[in-house]
Amino acid sequence: MDSHLFTSESVGEGHPDKMADQISDAILDGFLLRDPSAKVACECLLKSDAIVLAGEISSSATFDIEQVVHRTIEEIGYDSADKGFDAKHCRLINLLGQQSLNISDAIRAKDNQEQGAGDQGITYGYACDETPEYMPAALLFAHRLMQRHAFVRKSHTLDFLLPDAKSQVSLRFNQRHVIQAQTVVLSTQHHIDISQKQLQEAVIEEIIKPVLPNAWLKHDTQLLVNPAGPFVIGGPAADCGLTGRKIIVDTYGGAAHHGGGAFSGKDPSKVDRSGAYVARYIAKNIVAAGLASQCEIQLAWAIGVPAPISIDIQTFGSETIAKEKILGLIQEHFELSVYQIIQHLDLLTPRYRKTACYGHFGRNIFPWEKIDKAEQLREDAHRANCAA
């Protein structure tokens, strides 16, 4: 296919679903900070002035969960009733309970290295050479638009912006190279006293143009700002938010498969999270090593079993050595037991609130983004080719 369009979306910190993700992960961080062995599955629902927490937690730690929730919402920017949600005056309903003993017994082991997967399921990781971050370009720039939105809002550069926002980027490719931004959509909550014309001009000049490469913005590029009109009521006042409802935003923007399991609010014994992180780590190192320009890894898990029960790799015809050889290199260079994944990727460190907005992948602040295996993979692949 010589020319094609691809579209991805992102959402801002104040989107109700993302608020729920951030609250769930802030609570997870609170437990891991005090008890690295905590087992956490925390879900959050927001609507109107209410927050509902539910799920299962096994931990020796205790702390003020309500304070964590309120602080998270304030940091997002919902700190007064005129914005549609007020962290100080919302209702919290806490339905968190204990983890099932059957599940707890299945995943715990006398020897930590035999720790079993917290559930069955499949997880995917993906990387490509479209960007220096080894991420799909449309998703990467959709995230950057939302990061810029948060910056100009919180710095008061555009002080009429409110926290709820969404972006969507449609890029035209020739082969695998971006040649144009076909359409850019940005919808943002705002104060009632700003006109649509003022809003549109400000968003284009202060958010879209500073983020999108100028070479992509052609004369026929469509820049759509609040295409449905005024967006005054947002956040939980306008829509229900729920943990785990933005899994494509969280991963690869539709460019790769998804196993179905959400990430936020889950400790790393849940392979929905840790399995997806290590799969990304593997895929990124393979692309960084030059063994393929696209790579998708599938890992399958069984509850209570320490390592994946199957591994699959797809390179979409972009591989530089046989896929069977790449699979052999994966098995040689990557430890894939739950225990080793958690240790090698430092997954007990409480950093998860940072993952809950702007994607879990593509930012080098996370250890699963390191490419420390790439050089050795490249050398071993070269030796294997020479030997053949």
Side-chain angles (χ1 to χ4, degrees):
M1 185 182 296
D2 291 334
S3 178
H4 69 281
L5 278 172
F6 190 80
T7 302
S8 292
E9 70 163 349
S10 183
V11 297
E13 295 176 14
H15 185 284
D17 292 333
K18 273 290 138 212
M19 291 177 68
D21 286 341
Q22 290 170 87
I23 290 168
S24 292
D25 273 337
I27 292 170
L28 170 62
D29 283 344
F31 278 103
L32 291 179
L33 180 65
R34 297 162 177 85
D35 175 15
S37 65
K39 298 295 177 283
V40 179
C42 178
E43 311 286 347
C44 177
L45 179 146
L46 303 98
K47 179 57 184 165
S48 301
D49 67 341
I51 303 167
V52 180
L53 301 178
E56 298 78 43
I57 296 175
S58 293
S59 175
S60 61
T62 58
F63 60 96
D64 191 339
I65 289 177
E66 184 170 0
Q67 184 183 60
V68 169
V69 172
H70 289 174
R71 184 173 63 245
T72 302
I73 296 168
E74 282 185 344
E75 290 172 356
I76 289 168
Y78 282 116
D79 52 11
S80 65
D82 64 349
K83 296 180 181 180
F85 200 83
D86 184 357
K88 298 182 185 69
H89 299 101
C90 56
R91 294 179 294 138
L92 180 63
I93 302 167
N94 189 341
L95 303 178
L96 293 169
Q98 290 288 315
Q99 184 184 56
S100 161
L101 289 176
N102 293 137
I103 295 175
S104 179
D105 290 344
I107 64 175
R108 292 182 188 273
K110 291 180 180 179
D111 180 354
N112 285 336
Q113 298 197 40
E114 294 302 312
Q115 177 179 346
D119 203 352
Q120 72 174 50
I122 54 175
T123 57
Y124 287 92
Y126 178 76
C128 63
D129 62 0
E130 287 180 19
T131 63
E133 294 80 6
Y134 299 97
M135 288 291 288
L139 177 67
L140 186 71
F141 282 90
H143 284 324
R144 287 182 178 174
L145 288 171
M146 290 293 89
Q147 289 172 305
R148 177 70 181 175
H149 175 275
F151 173 77
V152 299
R153 172 174 62 88
K154 293 181 178 181
S155 67
H156 304 292
T157 303
L158 301 181
D159 58 4
F160 49 81
L161 297 183
L162 294 175
D164 199 352
K166 299 181 76 172
S167 65
Q168 186 168 283
V169 176
S170 299
L171 299 180
R172 181 167 293 283
F173 290 78
N174 184 15
Q175 300 292 347
R176 292 186 46 75
H177 301 288
V178 179
I179 58 173
Q180 179 181 0
Q182 183 87 3
T183 307
V184 179
V185 184
L186 198 148
S187 296
T188 176
Q189 186 187 8
H190 58 87
H191 284 298
I192 195 169
D193 56 358
I194 187 77
S195 73
Q196 288 300 291
K197 186 174 186 298
Q198 288 174 304
L199 177 72
Q200 289 165 358
E201 289 176 352
V203 167
I204 289 170
E205 293 301 320
E206 294 291 342
I207 299 178
I208 295 176
K209 286 185 177 179
V211 167
L212 272 293
N214 188 57
W216 293 1
L217 299 175
K218 309 294 187 182
H219 71 279
D220 57 344
T221 296
Q222 293 189 78
L223 303 180
L224 305 178
V225 178
N226 285 27
F231 182 3
V232 175
I233 302 172
D239 194 11
C240 178
L242 189 65
T243 301
R245 206 156 54 179
K246 287 292 177 282
I247 58 176
I248 302 303
V249 171
D250 284 343
T251 52
Y252 306 103
H257 290 96
H258 194 293
F263 302 155
S264 289
K266 297 177 182 177
D267 75 85
S269 72
K270 282 74 171 171
V271 289
D272 281 342
R273 184 164 220 161
S274 53
Y277 288 175
V278 77
R280 160 66 177 174
Y281 173 56
I282 296 168
K284 185 176 181 181
N285 275 271
I286 287 169
V287 176
L291 306 188
S293 59
Q294 293 184 80
C295 180
E296 182 182 82
I297 301 292
Q298 184 203 64
L299 304 175
W301 307 86
I303 187 169
V305 178
I309 59 173
S310 76
I311 305 171
D312 187 41
I313 180 171
Q314 293 294 331
T315 49
F316 311 96
S318 71
E319 67 274 9
T320 57
I321 64 172
K323 286 196 294 183
E324 293 76 13
K325 290 183 179 179
I326 298 176
L327 187 58
L329 289 171
I330 292 170
Q331 293 168 331
E332 179 181 349
H333 289 283
F334 294 91
E335 294 283 355
L336 294 179
S337 72
V338 175
Y339 175 81
Q340 290 292 346
I341 292 167
I342 291 171
Q343 295 302 309
H344 186 70
L345 299 184
D346 191 26
L347 298 184
L348 295 179
T349 296
R351 61 168 62 86
Y352 293 107
R353 163 80 191 281
K354 293 179 181 178
T355 70
C357 208
Y358 315 122
H360 292 243
F361 309 116
R363 291 182 284 161
N364 288 332
I365 59 175
F366 304 131
W368 48 91
E369 292 295 314
K370 59 190 176 183
I371 50 173
D372 56 333
K373 303 280 190 180
E375 184 177 353
Q376 191 63 56
L377 287 169
R378 188 184 303 114
E379 291 176 0
D380 287 2
H382 178 70
R383 279 198 294 269
N385 271 349
C386 290

